[in-house]
Amino acid sequence: MRALLAGAALLVAAASAAAQTLGAGDSIRITVFQNPDLSVEARLSENGAISYPLLGEVELAGQTPAAAGERIASRLRSGKYLRDPQVSVALLQLRSRQVSVLGQVARPGRYPLEESGAKLTDVLALAGGIAPGGADTVTVSGTRGGEPLQLRVDVQALVVGGDAAKVPELQPGDTLYVPRAPQFYVYGEVQRAGAYRLEPDLRVMGALSLGGGLTPRGTQRSPRIHRRSPDGSVQVLEAQLTDAVQPDDVIYFRESLF
């Protein structure tokens, strides 16, 4: 699943300048053919406007770069500053339609959305996919209709299921957070003691296998699980090989007495 997301990174890029509408905070370059004095770089203010030579304040929010160029050209023409101005507008930096990606991804940061709204999996791909230590469940935070939104999404289930309609669309200002994957620990008479990723439905026998099996002195009889309770206390349980492993369990395999 992670390989699919990482491999798709180059397939999902920021929207092309021809389709992206401008918004507050976006930086643009305005070029007027054969009029270098009128070719400037500017950033749209909070009200979606720029200050332009001769014209003063020009509102460009909601315009595509092409439409913004036509608006400036029209104002230059109607003001009789130029007879037939040829104006082009290029988007330099997109700030108005971005989402934040945090946590266990290859490249955390802020990423632009397509004009029509990118899918969650698209933005994860831009961020390089979920890192090896990341969980398969992603939390999306934002607002919808003025109300706060927090949504937990099982990305692995979406990718494996192949149902694109169920992949949520993101909106500007959303934040994606990929937490650390749940882990468990194996210690005692095992070949490879340490921390391991907790996969769904893992049993104590599977945990022993991940730990490389027993040492010559180890025994499968009555392994112990140190498990933290909701109140913070630690319980020591006598486990069976068929018992389910829970997040942060510490499984201890004892030395054989015989």
Side-chain angles (χ1 to χ4, degrees):
M1 186 271 293
R2 294 175 182 76
L4 289 174
L5 290 176
L10 295 180
L11 300 179
V12 184
S16 65
Q20 175 65 51
T21 59
L22 304 177
D26 291 347
S27 296
I28 58 175
R29 178 185 293 118
I30 302 168
T31 304
V32 183
F33 182 63
Q34 291 186 339
N35 287 273
D37 292 344
L38 296 178
S39 298
V40 299
E41 293 184 4
R43 175 176 293 177
L44 274 68
S45 65
E46 291 185 1
N47 61 2
I50 64 166
S51 179
Y52 188 74
L54 302 178
L55 303 181
E57 188 174 88
V58 181
E59 186 175 344
L60 299 179
Q63 303 289 312
T64 64
E70 293 174 2
R71 173 169 293 189
I72 294 171
S74 176
R75 293 276 299 272
L76 290 171
R77 190 181 305 110
S78 62
K80 297 183 179 180
Y81 299 111
L82 294 175
R83 177 175 297 179
D84 187 23
Q86 299 179 42
V87 181
S88 64
V89 175
L91 181 61
L92 298 180
Q93 189 173 38
L94 180 65
R95 291 179 177 267
S96 61
R97 295 181 54 84
Q98 290 187 326
V99 296
S100 298
V101 186
L102 307 175
Q104 301 295 315
V105 293
R107 295 186 297 275
R110 294 177 61 83
Y111 291 90
L113 290 178
E114 292 188 39
E115 178 63 19
S116 59
K119 300 280 190 177
L120 179 146
T121 47
D122 296 337
V123 176
L124 283 178
L126 287 174
I130 298 175
D136 295 327
T137 301
V138 178
T139 300
V140 180
S141 302
T143 58
R144 298 292 186 274
E147 297 294 327
L149 167 78
Q150 189 167 78
L151 180 67
R152 290 174 61 85
V153 182
D154 189 334
V155 178
Q156 184 177 30
L158 289 176
V159 173
V160 173
D163 190 349
K166 293 183 178 180
V167 180
E169 287 190 356
L170 301 179
Q171 293 188 7
D174 283 352
T175 297
L176 275 63
Y177 177 70
V178 181
R180 178 179 65 86
Q183 292 181 313
F184 69 95
Y185 306 86
V186 181
Y187 289 106
E189 295 298 331
V190 293
Q191 300 286 349
R192 295 191 300 272
Y196 293 89
R197 180 187 178 91
L198 178 59
E199 301 295 345
D201 301 320
L202 183 71
R203 305 290 167 170
V204 173
M205 177 62 80
L208 175 59
S209 176
L210 289 172
L214 295 169
T215 67
R217 297 183 302 177
T219 178
Q220 295 182 3
R221 292 194 301 271
S222 300
R224 291 176 179 172
I225 295 180
H226 295 248
R227 180 172 294 164
R228 188 171 297 278
S229 301
D231 63 4
S233 62
V234 176
Q235 296 178 306
V236 180
L237 309 173
E238 296 290 336
Q240 303 295 322
L241 294 178
T242 54
D243 288 348
V245 181
Q246 297 184 14
D248 297 320
D249 276 356
V250 178
I251 307 171
Y252 184 82
F253 288 91
R254 295 185 285 189
E255 183 178 357
S256 175
L257 300 178
F258 304 100

